[in-house]
Amino acid sequence: MSIENMALPDAQGGEHFDHSAVLGLVADVGGTHVRFGIAVGNEHAIRVHCVRRYAVRAHESIAHAAHHYRSDTPGIPSSLERAPVPVAGRGRRGRV
């Protein structure tokens, strides 16, 4: 399986991808920025579309940042049920 960041912008600034092959929302949370994208693919390849980066300090929580991403990104499915989210940093009492 390969994973790539593949963005194909359309005339309206959105991206073309097979909405029926959406696997879910993906995120990468660092100390300074959080990045969100949409994982699209199958057992052979996964591509990440609609990648956007936001300052961590601008959002009160990951959920708040994810809602901002969804409202800021045209063309993503209205219902995403999965979201693997790696987070950099230390945990304290089960919280990151």
Side-chain angles (χ1 to χ4, degrees), residues 1 8 37 46 49 75-76:
M1 175 187 319
L8 302 172
I46 297 172
H49 293 268
I76 64 169

Side-chain angles (χ1 to χ4, degrees), residues 11-91:
Q12 290 78 36
E15 293 181 23
H16 294 290
F17 57 90
D18 180 359
H19 288 258
S20 68
V22 170
L23 301 171
L25 177 71
V26 292
D28 175 24
V29 181
T32 306
H33 293 98
V34 57
R35 292 166 192 80
F36 290 101
I38 301 298
V40 180
N42 54 37
E43 65 275 2
H44 302 292
I46 297 172
R47 291 185 172 94
V48 179
H49 293 268
C50 304
V51 176
R52 292 187 185 268
R53 183 177 78 168
Y54 302 98
V56 167
R57 290 183 179 189
H59 300 282
E60 58 197 51
S61 67
I62 290 176
H64 183 263
H67 286 292
H68 182 98
Y69 169 76
R70 291 188 62 180
S71 67
D72 197 33
T73 309
I76 64 169
S78 60
S79 174
L80 297 173
E81 297 178 5
R82 297 178 214 163
V85 181
V87 178
R90 294 183 296 221

